[in-house]
Amino acid sequence: MYLVRDPFVVFPSTVNTWKRLTRYHGAQLPKHRDLEQQVYERFERMFDVFEEDRQLIEPGHLCELRYEDLARNPLAEVR
């Protein structure tokens, strides 16, 4: 299953997650220099690789689901 979420929600959430992780689990005080750019570049790479590999998935073996649809009506969407 490939769960798709609104990038305008996911991006700031991911930036905040990295800030919390480094604040509580980092060995040094975090500076967060270029954090937004780093997150963007990682997302871009992740989606590029997924699109390259998507063709390797047999037809009918990939289910794309929007998170918002799943949250709104989980039983119907899972069916």
Side-chain angles (χ1 to χ4, degrees), residues 1 3 6 10 13-14 18 20 22 24 34 36 42-43 46-47 50-52 56 58 66-67 73 76:
M1 182 185 306
L3 193 58
D6 180 351
V10 174
S13 174
T14 302
W18 278 107
R20 284 192 311 273
T22 56
Y24 296 118
D34 302 320
E36 289 85 1
R42 286 185 179 120
F43 275 13
M46 178 179 63
F47 290 119
F50 177 74
E51 288 303 321
E52 290 171 12
L56 302 173
E58 293 183 35
R66 290 184 64 240
Y67 172 79
N73 195 350

Side-chain angles (χ1 to χ4, degrees), residues 2-21:
Y2 178 54
L3 193 58
V4 180
R5 292 197 67 193
D6 180 351
F8 290 102
V9 173
V10 174
F11 184 83
S13 174
T14 302
V15 169
N16 287 330
T17 297
W18 278 107
K19 286 180 179 179
R20 284 192 311 273
L21 283 171

